[in-house]
Amino acid sequence: MLNLIKKAQNGNDKAFLTLFQKYEQDIFRTAFIYVKNQSDALDVVQETAYRSFKSIKNLKEPKYFKTWLIRIAISCAIDLLRKQKNVIQMRTEFEEFISRDINEDIDLEMTVRDLIERLNEDEKSVIILRFYEGLTIKEVSETLEIPLGTAKTILYRAIDKLRKDLKGDGLYEQ
Amino acid sequence: MNNRIKQEMYRIEIPKELNERSKMGVSKAKYEMGKPKRRWSYIIGAVIAASLTLSIFGPNYFSNNPPENPIIRTMETNTVIDIDDPREVVGFSDNVFLGKVIKKVGSKSLNDYPETQFNVEVLDSIKGELKGTIKVNQQGGYDGEYLFLMENDKLLVEGHTYLFATRYLKEENWHTVIPVGGDIPFNSDEEKKELIEKYKKAYDEEIPFKLK
């Protein structure tokens, strides 16, 4: 793997493609959560392949290759949404310290549709990196270049939102 | 939670063209990147190898004349466009023009295979506004006894006339020919007229290159 990354950094496209294709499904799924349709998600994958190969020379820590790819995919997806003017920037630049531990073990009856429709862009990023990619919340904050406190706030808000929205649904059905 | 998110995300169906789209992204980047900058160690290595070869084969080994019967090596590339469709070729090009190859002027390579540069006199411009004599770069060329050809695209011939479709590379101030569909020879005024008509029409209906 390290060898392939080195080759890719020296401009070897075959080596890069081998690496990229290991993760293309994860990239596609991540993109799908943002752009909500197959065609745009494929565009995001292609753009991610393009941007990542062009900038792989700048990847300093090969062990974070996958996280680095996912981060690029998230940017590509958000750029595409912006282009389509579908997105309203929801980022709130605040840092709120949460002293209590976040209870992540809530058994949510959520579906992929909930993920797609109920969360804003920032919440999707945090949820995907934390739970799909399995990063720690500290790694999530570093990957997204946001303060740890903000990452925690967003994570908690996202979990809360999923839970509340689902409860809402439940009440509605009654 | 962890498993639940994963489980749900795995339900997103993977389309079969996914693999192809990854390739297209990488190909486009590769096309634009050219060759990574050489390191000094590589250059020194090459110089040492060259001087060793020189001492073994003697100075006569090197000559400007290409070998009479070169061994042809065909290079294949993942082209990002259909090089047989003039509308895509024109859309992908910065310039489309008719030109006459004056002479070979260099064999600088930005890739892992030989490339050859020619001075070309612009006769007529179809797309872009090129005039006078310009430098055209063709992917392919001689390397020792081998002749490398991109997609079997024949090497340009001095004195011959072609329709060119090219992409400009600012760093080298040359115009790189799109293989096959971007260097079409013509031998008579009639053929020239036909090509102009065909490519003006293709320009009107060009398919601009985009990541789609």
Side-chain angles (χ1 to χ4, degrees), chain A residues 24 43 46-47 50 54, chain B residues 4 8 21-22 32 211:
Chain A
E24 64 185 5
D43 281 353
Q46 184 170 334
E47 180 67 13
Y50 169 78
K54 271 204 144 178
Chain B
R4 181 79 194 166
E8 280 302 315
R21 298 296 293 269
S22 303
E32 287 176 11
L211 284 175

Side-chain angles (χ1 to χ4, degrees), chain A residues 127-141:
Chain A
I127 288 277
I128 288 170
L129 291 173
R130 175 71 190 91
F131 298 115
Y132 188 60
E133 295 306 323
L135 301 188
T136 64
I137 189 67
K138 187 163 180 287
E139 286 167 336
V140 172
S141 77

Side-chain angles (χ1 to χ4, degrees), chain B residues 31 75-93 139 150-153 163 165 167 177-184 198-199:
Chain B
Y31 191 90
M75 301 175 286
E76 284 174 10
T77 177
N78 290 328
T79 43
V80 288
I81 54 161
D82 177 1
I83 51 177
D84 296 320
D85 182 347
R87 293 172 308 159
E88 284 199 31
V89 170
V90 174
F92 190 57
S93 307
Q139 293 170 311
M150 179 65 81
E151 301 283 346
N152 231 346
D153 186 27
L163 174 130
R167 279 172 75 90
V177 173
I178 295 171
V180 189
D183 54 348
I184 299 168
K198 185 175 172 187
Y199 278 81

